Amino acid sequence: MCPDADPCDGMLDVCYACGPVPRAVALPMFLSAKDGHHTKLPPVRMRRCRHAALTLEEPNYPIQADGEPVVASRIEVDILAGALHVWHPTR
């Protein structure tokens, strides 16, 4: 979902869609994420941060964190630098 994410830079990469997105638009948009082509679509926003706080309008809004479903109306995420050791190929 975040093709430019670097697991070692101490930043949280966030991808989300803004506004109402009809299913007819959402499905092709989701499928385009496979190749990273979703990042330039109008409803898609890409942000980088060390702290994120999300308040959702609906309690059962479909949301995922690292591919796992999350059920909540408010979510806060912080980066804990050095808490996870990640091995990745060098570019």
Side-chain angles (χ1 to χ4, degrees):
M1 296 304 292
C2 298
D4 295 328
D6 180 347
C8 299
D9 67 359
M11 297 294 287
L12 177 67
D13 290 79
V14 181
C15 171
Y16 62 97
C18 281
V21 180
R23 286 182 189 221
V25 174
L27 182 58
M29 183 172 62
F30 181 74
L31 293 174
S32 72
K34 184 174 105 175
D35 299 322
H37 294 112
H38 64 297
T39 61
K40 303 293 184 207
L41 297 175
V44 175
R45 303 288 186 272
M46 305 295 291
R47 299 289 185 263
R48 303 186 78 233
C49 57
R50 286 189 165 77
H51 173 84
L54 306 170
T55 302
L56 306 171
E57 293 178 7
E58 301 173 24
N60 51 347
Y61 191 84
I63 187 169
Q64 294 182 9
D66 200 23
E68 297 296 323
V70 175
V71 179
S73 58
R74 179 164 171 77
I75 300 167
E76 290 195 46
V77 180
D78 288 293
I79 293 296
L80 299 174
L84 177 65
H85 296 281
V86 179
W87 290 31
H88 64 93
T90 56
R91 295 180 189 192

